[in-house]
Amino acid sequence: MASPTGAHIIAHALRDLGVPVLFGIVGIPVVEIAEQAINLGIRFIGFRNEQAASYAASAYGYLTGRPGVCLVVGGPGVLHAMAGIGNSHANAFPLLILAGSSETHLVSKGAFQELDAISLLTPHTKLSIRPPSLESIPDIVQTAYRTSWYGRPGTGFVDLPADIIQGAVEDAEEIQVANIVPEAPKGGAEEAKLSRIAQLLKNAKAPLVVIGKGAAYARAEGAIRELIDKSQVPFLPTPMGKGVVADSHPANTASARSTALKEADVILVLGARLNWILHFGDAPKWNPSAKFIQVDISADEIGKNRGDGELGIVGDIEVVVSQLVRALGSWRYNTSSSDYIKHLESAKAKNEAGAAKKAKEHKTPMTYARAFDVIKNTIHGISPPQDAGVVYISEGANTMDISRSIFPVEYPRLRMDAGTYATMGVGLGYAIAAHAAYNGPSAEGSAGPKGNKKIVALEGDSAFGFSAMEVETMARYNMDILIFVMNNGGVYHGDSDDANTWLTMQKKTHEGVKEGGLRSTSLGWEVGYEKVAEACGGKGFVARTPEELETATREGFKSESVCVVNVMIEAGSAKKLEFGWQASSSKKPKKGAKL
């Protein structure tokens, strides 16, 4: 029997850790690891860019609750994968990166793709490490895997020099064996603090529970649903916290968000950070006298911005919320005599009526709201939300911002977007990860009733361009993902709804005319994005009318291959250039203040 090589040992370590799928791009020398992994039954999904592969691995970690693993080459491969590392850190997604590197004896000599990745990545990862020997590989890989997962999730990085990968051990018995890493111990809260928090909620005139994606990651939906059902306290989900409690629940204040923020006086924040998404907890968006009670796995978040450090709890959300339910006992918020509830219901009615009116606006080209309404109604006719048969991936400023309130989900981990980092380019990688998590051979993900789920990606045309070639990845692995490209011909907005006007602008730019040419936000006129799917063996549709969009949605949903629907919507060239989340969170300097 031949002596096992480093590639063989690495692949065995991954198998012993229970890793079912490996995302990445191969090259010398890491191709040997991928081949050994395939031979051991680990699924390898090869991407067209390390950036998308690293995004996919991080999303897989979020969806399954165990670290996603990404394999890349050294040097430029590591640099490309840094996008996923940053995304993992910002969103607290567990990610393990394995990367090749040049031979150890060639360090500092200008070796092939030489890069001191350990020094580069140490500030951005939870652990960056290189095995000192072949025999130590299983322990090193297991340590990086566990470190990425335990505590606040993030990235573990293992640097694998070519001589480690290609080297062989003489005595196989000296090789350590990696072991399955159990879930981290789950901590709860002190009884005295729980009693104090319970009393604050009972005394509150306008209580509110904010549910973040950390609650979805923690699989805390059972405890949180019990809390809301028993207490009747209104709740507000963050964009990726949707579904922890069903969007259809009557206590959901998402359509009265501004009113909830302005009036709430005691806010229980579960797995969400008081960052830009929640306007830092600051007035005027929030009630200036409100108390914020944070429950988070990371002590670093407690007391941050408007959080109250004395009230915050470091612990597992499911455990802490279960304790809080017991501490509250039979208490129930009196919704019948609450002005706060009346204001919320009034705001809901007004905002939902406004949204319904926008959804039925007949214009050519279609508006975002009209297009999304057609897509939603068609999909719901095939797969109702209560069936949990659809996973929504959304990216692109307007596409993401508008669609989050239009597509309801009844269970957690059925919606992903650009997240805390507001990262453009994550969409197709996330879609592949979702397909692997819910429909792959191992199907480690869970969200609502069991069964395969249709992955639907809602992409802005700018966002789609970051990783469009991953459509070929989807086609290669028979992933029946449905992609809608919302084509307005620009970043945020396009230039014109008229072809001749756009061509005139293009000509002026070509001729160097300063006024009236294409702008920094310009993209091509009615680019044929659907042809990307067709070129890869999938289906492509162009939709200009609601009728065409309904047909394309229905056929695309039922398609067994990847499908891209190119949705022509209004350019919006006359609209103000802004992103809704940030536009309302900036503070004006005080009069007379010096900047």
Side-chain angles (χ1 to χ4, degrees):
M1 179 179 177
S3 298
T5 64
H8 178 95
I9 298 169
I10 295 162
H12 269 267
L14 294 175
R15 186 198 63 180
D16 294 342
L17 284 168
V19 174
V21 61
L22 194 56
F23 304 89
I25 297 182
V26 298
I28 296 173
V30 300
V31 63
E32 299 174 33
I33 299 172
E35 289 300 313
Q36 290 286 355
I38 292 171
N39 293 340
L40 292 173
I42 297 174
R43 187 184 186 198
F44 181 79
I45 299 178
F47 283 71
R48 304 302 296 264
N49 187 293
E50 290 95 350
Q51 185 181 73
S54 62
Y55 289 149
S58 67
Y60 190 84
Y62 167 75
L63 292 171
T64 64
R66 298 184 72 92
V69 185
C70 183
L71 177 68
V72 300
V73 298
V78 171
L79 294 178
H80 293 167
M82 279 192 74
I85 292 171
N87 201 58
S88 161
H89 173 75
N91 289 288
F93 293 167
L95 170 66
L96 174 63
I97 298 276
L98 305 178
S101 63
S102 51
E103 295 87 340
T104 52
H105 68 278
L106 295 178
V107 170
S108 80
K109 290 189 175 184
F112 176 69
Q113 295 186 332
E114 182 178 349
L115 174 71
D116 184 0
I118 298 292
S119 296
L120 176 68
L121 297 179
T122 294
H124 308 287
T125 60
K126 293 185 71 179
L127 177 68
S128 288
I129 193 169
R130 178 186 300 116
S133 65
L134 277 74
E135 292 81 4
S136 68
I137 287 173
D139 181 63
I140 293 293
V141 172
Q142 179 177 324
T143 297
Y145 181 94
R146 179 183 55 78
T147 303
S148 74
W149 188 20
Y150 280 23
R152 182 187 187 275
T155 301
F157 174 78
V158 182
D159 183 69
L160 298 165
D163 45 326
I164 288 285
I165 295 172
Q166 297 170 341
V169 294
E170 294 182 1
D171 188 354
E173 293 183 1
E174 293 183 8
I175 301 172
Q176 303 171 43
V177 177
N179 298 303
I180 292 285
V181 179
E183 290 189 6
K186 297 180 178 181
E190 304 166 16
E191 291 299 326
K193 183 170 285 189
L194 276 171
S195 297
R196 184 180 176 191
I197 291 170
Q199 198 58 48
L200 279 171
L201 287 170
K202 290 178 180 180
N203 294 338
K205 293 182 178 179
L208 180 68
V209 177
V210 173
I211 304 172
K213 66 176 178 290
Y217 173 78
R219 275 64 182 165
E221 53 265 27
I224 295 175
R225 289 182 177 212
E226 184 181 10
L227 171 67
I228 300 301
D229 287 340
K230 286 186 173 181
S231 70
Q232 291 298 295
V233 171
F235 73 92
L236 174 69
T238 64
M240 281 178 59
K242 285 165 63 71
V244 171
V245 180
D247 278 347
S248 61
H249 196 289
N252 187 359
T253 68
S255 58
R257 185 178 189 272
S258 295
T259 301
L261 269 57
K262 285 182 181 296
E263 296 194 18
D265 57 2
V266 175
I267 300 101
L268 179 65
V269 184
L270 303 176
R273 280 172 276 177
L274 294 176
N275 56 17
W276 65 275
I277 294 176
L278 291 174
H279 311 288
F280 314 102
D282 287 340
K285 294 296 292 185
W286 288 91
N287 178 350
S289 60
K291 287 185 176 294
F292 289 86
I293 305 164
Q294 299 161 287
V295 180
D296 202 282
I297 199 170
S298 172
D300 291 346
E301 292 300 322
I302 305 301
K304 195 170 184 179
N305 296 326
R306 283 285 306 284
D308 189 325
E310 292 186 357
L311 295 174
I313 295 174
V314 179
D316 179 82
I317 296 171
E318 182 184 29
V319 173
V320 173
V321 173
S322 296
Q323 289 180 297
L324 183 58
V325 169
R326 291 193 294 272
L328 288 169
S330 61
W331 174 78
R332 194 180 185 91
Y333 178 57
N334 187 355
T335 58
S336 60
S337 62
S338 169
D339 288 338
Y340 169 57
I341 294 296
K342 292 176 184 177
H343 296 163
L344 289 175
E345 293 302 324
S346 175
K348 279 186 190 180
K350 179 182 177 181
N351 293 337
E352 289 171 6
K357 184 178 179 180
K358 288 181 179 180
K360 302 304 178 185
E361 187 176 3
H362 292 282
K363 288 179 65 177
T364 303
M366 292 179 284
T367 63
Y368 279 102
R370 178 63 174 141
F372 287 146
D373 185 65
V374 172
I375 295 169
K376 178 190 72 174
N377 290 333
T378 306
I379 289 177
H380 285 185
I382 303 169
S383 179
Q386 60 268 27
D387 291 351
V390 182
V391 180
Y392 293 102
I393 311 295
S394 181
E395 67 168 335
N398 292 322
T399 299
M400 181 175 63
D401 196 29
I402 297 170
S403 69
R404 66 183 166 84
S405 61
I406 293 176
F407 294 88
V409 292
E410 298 295 283
Y411 297 93
R413 301 174 296 282
L414 293 178
R415 184 185 184 280
M416 294 192 73
D417 61 24
T420 305
Y421 229 19
T423 311
M424 293 301 103
V426 298
L428 301 195
Y430 278 14
I432 291 170
H435 194 281
Y438 293 122
N439 304 329
S442 59
E444 286 191 298
S446 64
K450 292 183 178 180
N452 282 9
K453 303 183 189 300
K454 190 71 176 184
I455 313 303
V456 175
L458 305 167
E459 297 280 310
D461 49 356
S462 172
F464 180 72
F466 279 82
S467 55
M469 275 310 298
E470 300 307 336
V471 170
E472 188 278 325
T473 305
M474 298 173 182
R476 191 176 353 124
Y477 293 105
N478 294 318
M479 296 181 174
D480 58 340
I481 294 169
L482 174 56
I483 303 166
F484 294 92
V485 180
M486 311 308 294
N487 192 344
N488 67 357
V491 180
Y492 298 103
H493 59 64
D495 300 300
S496 172
D497 290 321
D498 175 72
N500 290 329
T501 301
W502 189 90
L503 289 170
T504 299
M505 296 173 71
Q506 184 189 46
K507 182 179 179 181
K508 287 183 177 181
T509 297
H510 179 70
E511 294 174 348
V513 178
K514 292 183 179 180
E515 300 294 330
L518 298 176
R519 307 309 302 170
S520 62
T521 56
S522 300
L523 295 176
W525 168 260
E526 294 199 350
V527 175
Y529 297 114
E530 78 286 352
K531 297 184 185 302
V532 177
E534 293 172 353
C536 298
K539 289 186 176 181
F541 298 89
V542 177
R544 301 178 185 278
T545 67
E547 295 74 21
E548 290 175 347
L549 182 54
E550 180 181 348
T551 299
T553 301
R554 183 173 291 107
E555 292 191 24
F557 195 94
K558 295 178 179 179
S559 173
E560 295 181 357
S561 60
V562 63
C563 177
V564 173
V565 181
N566 193 359
V567 187
M568 301 299 177
I569 59 172
E570 65 175 355
S573 55
K575 295 181 180 179
K576 184 179 179 182
L577 184 65
E578 66 178 23
F579 179 42
W581 286 98
Q582 287 190 313
S584 57
S585 61
S586 57
K587 287 184 176 181
K588 293 181 180 179
K590 293 180 180 179
K591 193 172 183 180
K594 294 182 179 180
L595 300 177

